[in-house]
Amino acid sequence: MSAGIVIVGGGFAAQQLVRTLRKRDGEVPIRLVTADSGDEYNKPDLSHVVSRASSSAAMVRLRGSEFAEQQRIVLQPHCRVEAIDRERACLHTPQGEIPYGQLVLATGARARRPDVPGSELMVTLNSLAEYAAIETRLARARRVMVLGAGLIGCELAMDLASAGREVTLVDLAPSLLASLLPAPLAPPLQQALLDVGVTLRLGQGIARLDAHGEGVLATLTGGERSEQDLAIAAIGLRPNIELAAAAGLEVGRGIRVDTLLRTNDPRIFALGDGAQWQDQCLPFLQPIVLGANALAGTLLGHPTALALPPMLVKVKTPGYPLQLAGRTLGEDLRWQIEWDCRGLQARAEDGAGQVCGFVVGGDRMSTAFPLLRELPR
């Protein structure tokens, strides 16, 4: 096989790009290099593994070897890239050098942990491998503390509590989903979490964690101490930029790319959670799908700029699901809010009176798509 297209990474972004490339070109040489097995699974399901009693093995949709055969690519699993040699256009790995014609970095992001004593005692659920590593502990845990009341933290807390766990949800912000919702729109979700037994500790963080038997002793910034079987960090992602930075590629929060998802090296591109496009890191599925479509065209000789329409963000908390899109934070926004005990519909208008965002929840979820069509493109 000639150098062709080499993709580093084994997650959704890498696999989506492979599928898109192969649909458009059945012959172009593609090599996928990943530090894990390359198995395909649905990452959003990680927020619901406890209530569904899902095993890590059962979550695998397609083995890496099967995926490679199906897509007619070369897969190099369990192969960690040590360095990118841009001058010679090759990768350095423990399995030898890998030449590339075009290189795509789909290196993803890792879960953040708080910078506090004992943070290494926290676990994360950002990949199938991480779940497999703690699967037994998670199944046995009765008392679980979740740090981070954002999208993933709220989903995890509701899932765990729905499965009978004693859950404490902790966040420095005074309200839930603070990076997505204005505080006045959070109470319905807050009540839904309380209804399934979640204990909320908002406006507080974890000050320290200490090993305590088979679990941990958590001390909050307000002084409260509690014994927990497990503490889970869900405070966001940190893009994996180290490989790119060491190669002299431009990085910020992520790997900087232009509208073609191209780095400052014309032969190297980035896609997925690790890419920074228009000063944004977009750790959601829809931008990855649209990015893969655009990048496939570019890699196959038809330069295609990525353009993102207004996109729905779904909060999969069954007791009170939410969907939102557009701009939902800002002191300049004026809100038109309709809600009752069953649902919420809130439309945000900017200073010019233009609808620029919305939030729907509960039994108003069906209004999301009509509202999405109202947003400016």
Side-chain angles (χ1 to χ4, degrees), residues 271-321:
L271 177 69
D273 293 353
Q276 183 175 334
W277 172 84
Q278 293 189 354
D279 287 329
Q280 302 176 77
C281 292
L282 301 168
F284 302 109
L285 296 186
Q286 189 177 358
I288 292 175
V289 172
L290 296 176
N293 288 337
L295 182 53
T298 298
L299 294 172
L300 295 175
H302 307 285
T304 306
L306 173 61
L308 295 180
M311 293 176 292
L312 279 176
V313 175
K314 298 180 180 180
V315 186
K316 298 180 291 300
T317 41
Y320 197 88

mmCIF file of all heavy atoms in Angstrom, residues 271-321:
data_model
loop_
_atom_site.group_PDB
_atom_site.id
_atom_site.type_symbol
_atom_site.label_atom_id
_atom_site.label_comp_id
_atom_site.label_asym_id
_atom_site.label_seq_id
_atom_site.Cartn_x
_atom_site.Cartn_y
_atom_site.Cartn_z
ATOM 1 N N LEU A 271 -9.448 16.706 12.940
ATOM 2 C CA LEU A 271 -10.895 16.507 12.967
ATOM 3 C C LEU A 271 -11.302 15.996 14.341
ATOM 4 O O LEU A 271 -10.570 15.242 14.975
ATOM 5 C CB LEU A 271 -11.289 15.472 11.903
ATOM 6 C CG LEU A 271 -12.771 15.074 11.808
ATOM 7 C CD1 LEU A 271 -13.603 16.240 11.278
ATOM 8 C CD2 LEU A 271 -12.937 13.851 10.903
ATOM 9 N N GLY A 272 -12.471 16.424 14.803
ATOM 10 C CA GLY A 272 -13.025 15.865 16.032
ATOM 11 C C GLY A 272 -12.779 16.726 17.257
ATOM 12 O O GLY A 272 -12.521 17.929 17.162
ATOM 13 N N ASP A 273 -12.836 16.077 18.425
ATOM 14 C CA ASP A 273 -12.737 16.788 19.698
ATOM 15 C C ASP A 273 -11.427 17.549 19.858
ATOM 16 O O ASP A 273 -11.363 18.509 20.623
ATOM 17 C CB ASP A 273 -12.846 15.797 20.865
ATOM 18 C CG ASP A 273 -14.219 15.155 20.971
ATOM 19 O OD1 ASP A 273 -15.132 15.574 20.232
ATOM 20 O OD2 ASP A 273 -14.380 14.236 21.791
ATOM 21 N N GLY A 274 -10.382 17.112 19.163
ATOM 22 C CA GLY A 274 -9.080 17.749 19.328
ATOM 23 C C GLY A 274 -8.842 18.937 18.429
ATOM 24 O O GLY A 274 -7.834 19.637 18.585
ATOM 25 N N ALA A 275 -9.745 19.199 17.483
ATOM 26 C CA ALA A 275 -9.551 20.287 16.523
ATOM 27 C C ALA A 275 -10.146 21.588 17.039
ATOM 28 O O ALA A 275 -11.169 21.591 17.723
ATOM 29 C CB ALA A 275 -10.187 19.923 15.187
ATOM 30 N N GLN A 276 -9.495 22.696 16.721
ATOM 31 C CA GLN A 276 -10.004 24.031 17.061
ATOM 32 C C GLN A 276 -10.288 24.768 15.756
ATOM 33 O O GLN A 276 -9.379 25.196 15.052
ATOM 34 C CB GLN A 276 -8.998 24.800 17.918
ATOM 35 C CG GLN A 276 -9.491 26.167 18.361
ATOM 36 C CD GLN A 276 -8.523 26.855 19.300
ATOM 37 O OE1 GLN A 276 -7.750 26.200 19.990
ATOM 38 N NE2 GLN A 276 -8.554 28.181 19.328
ATOM 39 N N TRP A 277 -11.574 24.913 15.456
ATOM 40 C CA TRP A 277 -12.050 25.517 14.208
ATOM 41 C C TRP A 277 -12.730 26.842 14.537
ATOM 42 O O TRP A 277 -13.633 26.885 15.370
ATOM 43 C CB TRP A 277 -13.024 24.550 13.534
ATOM 44 C CG TRP A 277 -13.763 25.049 12.337
ATOM 45 C CD1 TRP A 277 -13.311 25.071 11.049
ATOM 46 C CD2 TRP A 277 -15.099 25.569 12.301
ATOM 47 N NE1 TRP A 277 -14.279 25.571 10.209
ATOM 48 C CE2 TRP A 277 -15.388 25.896 10.952
ATOM 49 C CE3 TRP A 277 -16.070 25.804 13.273
ATOM 50 C CZ2 TRP A 277 -16.619 26.436 10.572
ATOM 51 C CZ3 TRP A 277 -17.290 26.349 12.890
ATOM 52 C CH2 TRP A 277 -17.548 26.658 11.549
ATOM 53 N N GLN A 278 -12.261 27.911 13.902
ATOM 54 C CA GLN A 278 -12.800 29.246 14.169
ATOM 55 C C GLN A 278 -12.841 29.530 15.675
ATOM 56 O O GLN A 278 -13.838 30.008 16.222
ATOM 57 C CB GLN A 278 -14.196 29.396 13.547
ATOM 58 C CG GLN A 278 -14.185 29.364 12.027
ATOM 59 C CD GLN A 278 -15.528 29.719 11.416
ATOM 60 O OE1 GLN A 278 -16.526 29.887 12.108
ATOM 61 N NE2 GLN A 278 -15.557 29.841 10.100
ATOM 62 N N ASP A 279 -11.723 29.196 16.334
ATOM 63 C CA ASP A 279 -11.557 29.411 17.771
ATOM 64 C C ASP A 279 -12.541 28.630 18.622
ATOM 65 O O ASP A 279 -12.781 28.971 19.780
ATOM 66 C CB ASP A 279 -11.635 30.903 18.121
ATOM 67 C CG ASP A 279 -10.385 31.656 17.693
ATOM 68 O OD1 ASP A 279 -9.310 31.032 17.690
ATOM 69 O OD2 ASP A 279 -10.488 32.842 17.352
ATOM 70 N N GLN A 280 -13.134 27.580 18.061
ATOM 71 C CA GLN A 280 -14.060 26.742 18.814
ATOM 72 C C GLN A 280 -13.590 25.297 18.826
ATOM 73 O O GLN A 280 -13.112 24.790 17.819
ATOM 74 C CB GLN A 280 -15.457 26.755 18.176
ATOM 75 C CG GLN A 280 -16.106 28.111 18.036
ATOM 76 C CD GLN A 280 -17.428 27.976 17.302
ATOM 77 O OE1 GLN A 280 -18.439 27.557 17.854
ATOM 78 N NE2 GLN A 280 -17.423 28.325 16.023
ATOM 79 N N CYS A 281 -13.743 24.659 19.981
ATOM 80 C CA CYS A 281 -13.634 23.208 20.058
ATOM 81 C C CYS A 281 -15.060 22.694 20.192
ATOM 82 O O CYS A 281 -15.813 23.166 21.050
ATOM 83 C CB CYS A 281 -12.791 22.784 21.258
ATOM 84 S SG CYS A 281 -11.038 23.240 21.115
ATOM 85 N N LEU A 282 -15.436 21.762 19.342
ATOM 86 C CA LEU A 282 -16.837 21.338 19.249
ATOM 87 C C LEU A 282 -16.964 19.843 19.536
ATOM 88 O O LEU A 282 -16.965 19.017 18.629
ATOM 89 C CB LEU A 282 -17.385 21.656 17.855
ATOM 90 C CG LEU A 282 -17.337 23.134 17.449
ATOM 91 C CD1 LEU A 282 -17.612 23.294 15.964
ATOM 92 C CD2 LEU A 282 -18.335 23.932 18.263
ATOM 93 N N PRO A 283 -17.071 19.469 20.819
ATOM 94 C CA PRO A 283 -17.123 18.046 21.177
ATOM 95 C C PRO A 283 -18.513 17.441 21.061
ATOM 96 O O PRO A 283 -19.045 16.862 22.011
ATOM 97 C CB PRO A 283 -16.652 18.078 22.640
ATOM 98 C CG PRO A 283 -17.176 19.374 23.155
ATOM 99 C CD PRO A 283 -17.096 20.344 21.999
ATOM 100 N N PHE A 284 -19.124 17.589 19.885
ATOM 101 C CA PHE A 284 -20.458 17.039 19.650
ATOM 102 C C PHE A 284 -20.427 16.233 18.353
ATOM 103 O O PHE A 284 -19.558 16.415 17.500
ATOM 104 C CB PHE A 284 -21.506 18.152 19.557
ATOM 105 C CG PHE A 284 -21.587 19.024 20.789
ATOM 106 C CD1 PHE A 284 -21.128 20.326 20.765
ATOM 107 C CD2 PHE A 284 -22.115 18.517 21.971
ATOM 108 C CE1 PHE A 284 -21.195 21.121 21.898
ATOM 109 C CE2 PHE A 284 -22.196 19.302 23.107
ATOM 110 C CZ PHE A 284 -21.736 20.605 23.079
ATOM 111 N N LEU A 285 -21.419 15.345 18.187
ATOM 112 C CA LEU A 285 -21.405 14.444 17.038
ATOM 113 C C LEU A 285 -21.675 15.153 15.715
ATOM 114 O O LEU A 285 -21.026 14.854 14.706
ATOM 115 C CB LEU A 285 -22.427 13.321 17.245
ATOM 116 C CG LEU A 285 -22.168 12.369 18.407
ATOM 117 C CD1 LEU A 285 -23.183 11.240 18.379
ATOM 118 C CD2 LEU A 285 -20.752 11.802 18.364
ATOM 119 N N GLN A 286 -22.635 16.071 15.679
ATOM 120 C CA GLN A 286 -23.002 16.679 14.405
ATOM 121 C C GLN A 286 -21.848 17.432 13.746
ATOM 122 O O GLN A 286 -21.625 17.282 12.534
ATOM 123 C CB GLN A 286 -24.220 17.593 14.550
ATOM 124 C CG GLN A 286 -24.761 18.060 13.195
ATOM 125 C CD GLN A 286 -26.022 18.907 13.331
ATOM 126 O OE1 GLN A 286 -26.525 19.132 14.426
ATOM 127 N NE2 GLN A 286 -26.522 19.396 12.218
ATOM 128 N N PRO A 287 -21.077 18.248 14.492
ATOM 129 C CA PRO A 287 -19.926 18.892 13.842
ATOM 130 C C PRO A 287 -18.917 17.891 13.290
ATOM 131 O O PRO A 287 -18.278 18.162 12.265
ATOM 132 C CB PRO A 287 -19.316 19.739 14.969
ATOM 133 C CG PRO A 287 -20.413 19.954 15.936
ATOM 134 C CD PRO A 287 -21.255 18.714 15.873
ATOM 135 N N ILE A 288 -18.779 16.749 13.965
ATOM 136 C CA ILE A 288 -17.837 15.740 13.468
ATOM 137 C C ILE A 288 -18.343 15.134 12.164
ATOM 138 O O ILE A 288 -17.569 14.953 11.211
ATOM 139 C CB ILE A 288 -17.617 14.650 14.525
ATOM 140 C CG1 ILE A 288 -16.879 15.229 15.731
ATOM 141 C CG2 ILE A 288 -16.841 13.470 13.942
ATOM 142 C CD1 ILE A 288 -16.712 14.268 16.882
ATOM 143 N N VAL A 289 -19.633 14.830 12.093
ATOM 144 C CA VAL A 289 -20.203 14.269 10.864
ATOM 145 C C VAL A 289 -20.051 15.251 9.705
ATOM 146 O O VAL A 289 -19.596 14.880 8.603
ATOM 147 C CB VAL A 289 -21.684 13.907 11.067
ATOM 148 C CG1 VAL A 289 -22.329 13.508 9.743
ATOM 149 C CG2 VAL A 289 -21.817 12.768 12.070
ATOM 150 N N LEU A 290 -20.405 16.512 9.943
ATOM 151 C CA LEU A 290 -20.285 17.525 8.888
ATOM 152 C C LEU A 290 -18.822 17.782 8.546
ATOM 153 O O LEU A 290 -18.472 17.992 7.380
ATOM 154 C CB LEU A 290 -20.963 18.817 9.336
ATOM 155 C CG LEU A 290 -22.479 18.720 9.550
ATOM 156 C CD1 LEU A 290 -23.033 20.030 10.098
ATOM 157 C CD2 LEU A 290 -23.191 18.353 8.257
ATOM 158 N N GLY A 291 -17.963 17.749 9.563
ATOM 159 C CA GLY A 291 -16.535 17.925 9.315
ATOM 160 C C GLY A 291 -15.960 16.798 8.486
ATOM 161 O O GLY A 291 -15.145 17.016 7.582
ATOM 162 N N ALA A 292 -16.383 15.562 8.780
ATOM 163 C CA ALA A 292 -15.908 14.419 7.999
ATOM 164 C C ALA A 292 -16.354 14.516 6.548
ATOM 165 O O ALA A 292 -15.595 14.181 5.629
ATOM 166 C CB ALA A 292 -16.405 13.117 8.630
ATOM 167 N N ASN A 293 -17.572 14.982 6.327
ATOM 168 C CA ASN A 293 -18.062 15.142 4.951
ATOM 169 C C ASN A 293 -17.223 16.150 4.181
ATOM 170 O O ASN A 293 -16.844 15.925 3.022
ATOM 171 C CB ASN A 293 -19.526 15.579 4.964
ATOM 172 C CG ASN A 293 -20.465 14.472 5.388
ATOM 173 O OD1 ASN A 293 -20.139 13.303 5.282
ATOM 174 N ND2 ASN A 293 -21.640 14.840 5.878
ATOM 175 N N ALA A 294 -16.935 17.291 4.826
ATOM 176 C CA ALA A 294 -16.141 18.323 4.160
ATOM 177 C C ALA A 294 -14.706 17.862 3.953
ATOM 178 O O ALA A 294 -14.132 18.025 2.860
ATOM 179 C CB ALA A 294 -16.173 19.610 4.985
ATOM 180 N N LEU A 295 -14.116 17.264 4.977
ATOM 181 C CA LEU A 295 -12.717 16.864 4.898
ATOM 182 C C LEU A 295 -12.511 15.755 3.870
ATOM 183 O O LEU A 295 -11.495 15.734 3.164
ATOM 184 C CB LEU A 295 -12.222 16.417 6.272
ATOM 185 C CG LEU A 295 -10.751 16.014 6.373
ATOM 186 C CD1 LEU A 295 -9.843 17.106 5.835
ATOM 187 C CD2 LEU A 295 -10.397 15.680 7.821
ATOM 188 N N ALA A 296 -13.462 14.850 3.753
ATOM 189 C CA ALA A 296 -13.339 13.793 2.749
ATOM 190 C C ALA A 296 -13.222 14.396 1.355
ATOM 191 O O ALA A 296 -12.398 13.956 0.540
ATOM 192 C CB ALA A 296 -14.538 12.851 2.828
ATOM 193 N N GLY A 297 -14.036 15.395 1.081
ATOM 194 C CA GLY A 297 -13.945 16.060 -0.212
ATOM 195 C C GLY A 297 -12.575 16.675 -0.437
ATOM 196 O O GLY A 297 -11.968 16.524 -1.512
ATOM 197 N N THR A 298 -12.077 17.367 0.578
ATOM 198 C CA THR A 298 -10.762 18.005 0.462
ATOM 199 C C THR A 298 -9.658 16.986 0.238
ATOM 200 O O THR A 298 -8.795 17.159 -0.638
ATOM 201 C CB THR A 298 -10.477 18.835 1.729
ATOM 202 O OG1 THR A 298 -11.453 19.877 1.842
ATOM 203 C CG2 THR A 298 -9.088 19.459 1.678
ATOM 204 N N LEU A 299 -9.662 15.908 1.009
ATOM 205 C CA LEU A 299 -8.618 14.894 0.889
ATOM 206 C C LEU A 299 -8.637 14.208 -0.464
ATOM 207 O O LEU A 299 -7.597 13.743 -0.955
ATOM 208 C CB LEU A 299 -8.785 13.849 1.999
ATOM 209 C CG LEU A 299 -8.559 14.337 3.434
ATOM 210 C CD1 LEU A 299 -8.953 13.247 4.431
ATOM 211 C CD2 LEU A 299 -7.109 14.752 3.652
ATOM 212 N N LEU A 300 -9.817 14.161 -1.083
ATOM 213 C CA LEU A 300 -9.948 13.497 -2.387
ATOM 214 C C LEU A 300 -9.812 14.468 -3.557
ATOM 215 O O LEU A 300 -10.138 14.135 -4.689
ATOM 216 C CB LEU A 300 -11.291 12.770 -2.455
ATOM 217 C CG LEU A 300 -11.447 11.602 -1.467
ATOM 218 C CD1 LEU A 300 -12.857 11.027 -1.517
ATOM 219 C CD2 LEU A 300 -10.415 10.504 -1.743
ATOM 220 N N GLY A 301 -9.320 15.672 -3.267
ATOM 221 C CA GLY A 301 -9.005 16.608 -4.344
ATOM 222 C C GLY A 301 -10.068 17.627 -4.662
ATOM 223 O O GLY A 301 -9.968 18.331 -5.668
ATOM 224 N N HIS A 302 -11.084 17.731 -3.802
ATOM 225 C CA HIS A 302 -12.150 18.715 -4.016
ATOM 226 C C HIS A 302 -12.278 19.584 -2.765
ATOM 227 O O HIS A 302 -13.106 19.291 -1.883
ATOM 228 C CB HIS A 302 -13.482 18.012 -4.310
ATOM 229 C CG HIS A 302 -13.406 17.007 -5.422
ATOM 230 N ND1 HIS A 302 -13.342 17.374 -6.755
ATOM 231 C CD2 HIS A 302 -13.351 15.638 -5.398
ATOM 232 C CE1 HIS A 302 -13.267 16.284 -7.505
ATOM 233 N NE2 HIS A 302 -13.266 15.224 -6.704
ATOM 234 N N PRO A 303 -11.428 20.609 -2.653
ATOM 235 C CA PRO A 303 -11.408 21.421 -1.427
ATOM 236 C C PRO A 303 -12.800 21.882 -1.024
ATOM 237 O O PRO A 303 -13.523 22.501 -1.806
ATOM 238 C CB PRO A 303 -10.515 22.605 -1.817
ATOM 239 C CG PRO A 303 -9.611 22.046 -2.882
ATOM 240 C CD PRO A 303 -10.471 21.100 -3.666
ATOM 241 N N THR A 304 -13.177 21.558 0.213
ATOM 242 C CA THR A 304 -14.519 21.837 0.710
ATOM 243 C C THR A 304 -14.420 22.480 2.079
ATOM 244 O O THR A 304 -13.935 21.854 3.036
ATOM 245 C CB THR A 304 -15.341 20.539 0.822
ATOM 246 O OG1 THR A 304 -15.319 19.845 -0.439
ATOM 247 C CG2 THR A 304 -16.777 20.837 1.216
ATOM 248 N N ALA A 305 -14.864 23.715 2.188
ATOM 249 C CA ALA A 305 -14.826 24.413 3.466
ATOM 250 C C ALA A 305 -15.928 23.895 4.379
ATOM 251 O O ALA A 305 -17.034 23.579 3.929
ATOM 252 C CB ALA A 305 -14.979 25.920 3.259
ATOM 253 N N LEU A 306 -15.627 23.801 5.656
ATOM 254 C CA LEU A 306 -16.633 23.391 6.627
ATOM 255 C C LEU A 306 -17.535 24.573 6.952
ATOM 256 O O LEU A 306 -17.062 25.658 7.287
ATOM 257 C CB LEU A 306 -15.965 22.890 7.912
ATOM 258 C CG LEU A 306 -16.900 22.573 9.084
ATOM 259 C CD1 LEU A 306 -17.886 21.478 8.716
ATOM 260 C CD2 LEU A 306 -16.098 22.192 10.324
ATOM 261 N N ALA A 307 -18.829 24.362 6.854
ATOM 262 C CA ALA A 307 -19.823 25.364 7.252
ATOM 263 C C ALA A 307 -20.802 24.668 8.185
ATOM 264 O O ALA A 307 -21.350 23.615 7.845
ATOM 265 C CB ALA A 307 -20.548 25.928 6.032
ATOM 266 N N LEU A 308 -20.993 25.236 9.361
ATOM 267 C CA LEU A 308 -21.873 24.617 10.349
ATOM 268 C C LEU A 308 -23.153 25.419 10.498
ATOM 269 O O LEU A 308 -23.117 26.616 10.794
ATOM 270 C CB LEU A 308 -21.173 24.527 11.713
ATOM 271 C CG LEU A 308 -19.944 23.619 11.780
ATOM 272 C CD1 LEU A 308 -19.369 23.640 13.192
ATOM 273 C CD2 LEU A 308 -20.279 22.195 11.363
ATOM 274 N N PRO A 309 -24.310 24.784 10.303
ATOM 275 C CA PRO A 309 -25.590 25.447 10.543
ATOM 276 C C PRO A 309 -25.863 25.480 12.043
ATOM 277 O O PRO A 309 -25.121 24.888 12.828
ATOM 278 C CB PRO A 309 -26.577 24.515 9.833
ATOM 279 C CG PRO A 309 -25.964 23.158 10.013
ATOM 280 C CD PRO A 309 -24.470 23.373 9.916
ATOM 281 N N PRO A 310 -26.917 26.162 12.488
ATOM 282 C CA PRO A 310 -27.303 26.048 13.899
ATOM 283 C C PRO A 310 -27.546 24.582 14.236
ATOM 284 O O PRO A 310 -28.182 23.851 13.469
ATOM 285 C CB PRO A 310 -28.605 26.863 13.981
ATOM 286 C CG PRO A 310 -28.520 27.827 12.830
ATOM 287 C CD PRO A 310 -27.799 27.080 11.739
ATOM 288 N N MET A 311 -27.021 24.150 15.371
ATOM 289 C CA MET A 311 -27.068 22.732 15.707
ATOM 290 C C MET A 311 -27.727 22.506 17.055
ATOM 291 O O MET A 311 -27.541 23.294 17.987
ATOM 292 C CB MET A 311 -25.653 22.155 15.723
ATOM 293 C CG MET A 311 -25.012 22.131 14.352
ATOM 294 S SD MET A 311 -23.291 21.557 14.422
ATOM 295 C CE MET A 311 -22.542 22.934 15.286
ATOM 296 N N LEU A 312 -28.490 21.434 17.147
ATOM 297 C CA LEU A 312 -29.144 21.067 18.399
ATOM 298 C C LEU A 312 -28.155 20.413 19.356
ATOM 299 O O LEU A 312 -27.334 19.589 18.951
ATOM 300 C CB LEU A 312 -30.275 20.074 18.136
ATOM 301 C CG LEU A 312 -31.624 20.618 17.663
ATOM 302 C CD1 LEU A 312 -32.567 19.463 17.379
ATOM 303 C CD2 LEU A 312 -32.229 21.548 18.709
ATOM 304 N N VAL A 313 -28.238 20.799 20.603
ATOM 305 C CA VAL A 313 -27.535 20.111 21.678
ATOM 306 C C VAL A 313 -28.596 19.406 22.506
ATOM 307 O O VAL A 313 -29.554 20.032 22.964
ATOM 308 C CB VAL A 313 -26.733 21.095 22.554
ATOM 309 C CG1 VAL A 313 -26.112 20.359 23.739
ATOM 310 C CG2 VAL A 313 -25.659 21.793 21.734
ATOM 311 N N LYS A 314 -28.444 18.100 22.682
ATOM 312 C CA LYS A 314 -29.435 17.315 23.413
ATOM 313 C C LYS A 314 -28.888 16.934 24.778
ATOM 314 O O LYS A 314 -27.766 16.429 24.890
ATOM 315 C CB LYS A 314 -29.795 16.047 22.628
ATOM 316 C CG LYS A 314 -30.418 16.327 21.263
ATOM 317 C CD LYS A 314 -30.758 15.042 20.530
ATOM 318 C CE LYS A 314 -31.373 15.327 19.167
ATOM 319 N NZ LYS A 314 -31.716 14.082 18.436
ATOM 320 N N VAL A 315 -29.685 17.169 25.794
ATOM 321 C CA VAL A 315 -29.359 16.746 27.155
ATOM 322 C C VAL A 315 -30.244 15.547 27.456
ATOM 323 O O VAL A 315 -31.449 15.691 27.640
ATOM 324 C CB VAL A 315 -29.599 17.877 28.177
ATOM 325 C CG1 VAL A 315 -29.115 17.456 29.562
ATOM 326 C CG2 VAL A 315 -28.895 19.163 27.731
ATOM 327 N N LYS A 316 -29.625 14.363 27.474
ATOM 328 C CA LYS A 316 -30.397 13.119 27.549
ATOM 329 C C LYS A 316 -30.601 12.720 29.018
ATOM 330 O O LYS A 316 -30.011 11.765 29.514
ATOM 331 C CB LYS A 316 -29.693 12.029 26.750
ATOM 332 C CG LYS A 316 -29.568 12.370 25.260
ATOM 333 C CD LYS A 316 -28.882 11.291 24.481
ATOM 334 C CE LYS A 316 -27.411 11.164 24.814
ATOM 335 N NZ LYS A 316 -26.651 12.379 24.539
ATOM 336 N N THR A 317 -31.434 13.502 29.706
ATOM 337 C CA THR A 317 -31.817 13.219 31.085
ATOM 338 C C THR A 317 -33.284 12.811 31.049
ATOM 339 O O THR A 317 -34.163 13.680 30.984
ATOM 340 C CB THR A 317 -31.613 14.468 31.956
ATOM 341 O OG1 THR A 317 -32.060 15.634 31.227
ATOM 342 C CG2 THR A 317 -30.154 14.662 32.308
ATOM 343 N N PRO A 318 -33.579 11.513 31.062
ATOM 344 C CA PRO A 318 -34.946 11.038 30.811
ATOM 345 C C PRO A 318 -36.018 11.672 31.690
ATOM 346 O O PRO A 318 -37.149 11.880 31.238
ATOM 347 C CB PRO A 318 -34.835 9.533 31.069
ATOM 348 C CG PRO A 318 -33.413 9.197 30.809
ATOM 349 C CD PRO A 318 -32.630 10.394 31.258
ATOM 350 N N GLY A 319 -35.685 11.992 32.946
ATOM 351 C CA GLY A 319 -36.680 12.607 33.821
ATOM 352 C C GLY A 319 -37.108 13.984 33.365
ATOM 353 O O GLY A 319 -38.233 14.425 33.650
ATOM 354 N N TYR A 320 -36.232 14.669 32.632
ATOM 355 C CA TYR A 320 -36.566 15.972 32.055
ATOM 356 C C TYR A 320 -35.556 16.266 30.947
ATOM 357 O O TYR A 320 -34.558 16.947 31.155
ATOM 358 C CB TYR A 320 -36.535 17.085 33.103
ATOM 359 C CG TYR A 320 -37.267 18.335 32.638
ATOM 360 C CD1 TYR A 320 -38.631 18.477 32.852
ATOM 361 C CD2 TYR A 320 -36.597 19.346 31.948
ATOM 362 C CE1 TYR A 320 -39.312 19.595 32.410
ATOM 363 C CE2 TYR A 320 -37.267 20.471 31.497
ATOM 364 C CZ TYR A 320 -38.623 20.590 31.733
ATOM 365 O OH TYR A 320 -39.304 21.711 31.281
ATOM 366 N N PRO A 321 -35.778 15.729 29.745
ATOM 367 C CA PRO A 321 -34.843 15.959 28.635
ATOM 368 C C PRO A 321 -34.918 17.402 28.153
ATOM 369 O O PRO A 321 -35.952 18.063 28.281
ATOM 370 C CB PRO A 321 -35.323 14.986 27.565
ATOM 371 C CG PRO A 321 -36.782 14.810 27.856
ATOM 372 C CD PRO A 321 -36.922 14.893 29.351
#
